[in-house]
Amino acid sequence: KVTYPRFMRGPDGALLFTPQEVIYAPPLSGEVANPVGSGDSMVAGFVAGYLQSKDYHVALKMGTAAGSATAFSDGLATAESIRELYRTL
C-alpha cells in the first residue's frame, strides 16, 4: 500500500515525498495535444511502476512518462509512447 503524498507540478515535473527522501522527476518535453486524463494516467503509471519494481524512483518516472504521454496524445497514451518517454528520464 502506497500512502505517500505525491505532488504534481505540471511543467515543473513531479515530486514524491517519502519518510526517507523527496524524489523528483523532471518534466518531459513535448507538445500538449489534450491534457484530459493525464493525471489519471500518471496515477496508473505510478501504481504500475511500483507494483512491478517496488521502487519509488521507478514508479514516479513511470507515472511521469504515462501522464506526459497522454497529454501529448489526442487520446490515451499507448504502451509504446510511455516506454519511449520513460527511457528519456
Side-chain angles (χ1 to χ4, degrees):
K1 178 178 171 184
V2 177
T3 58
Y4 304 124
R6 219 176 48 266
F7 180 64
M8 296 171 276
R9 301 177 349 159
D12 296 323
L15 296 169
L16 175 69
F17 298 89
T18 75
Q20 294 78 29
E21 63 184 323
V22 176
I23 303 168
Y24 172 72
L28 293 167
S29 297
E31 186 175 329
V32 174
N34 184 358
V36 174
S38 59
D40 292 335
S41 293
M42 181 177 191
V43 172
F46 178 87
V47 171
Y50 184 77
L51 290 175
Q52 290 174 2
S53 69
K54 303 293 190 253
D55 182 306
Y56 291 117
H57 293 88
V58 170
L60 187 60
K61 289 190 330 188
M62 185 62 74
T64 299
S68 296
T70 291
F72 301 158
S73 303
D74 288 325
L76 291 175
T78 64
E80 182 56 33
S81 66
I82 294 168
R83 282 191 293 271
E84 284 178 24
L85 287 175
Y86 180 86
R87 286 190 289 266
T88 69
L89 287 168

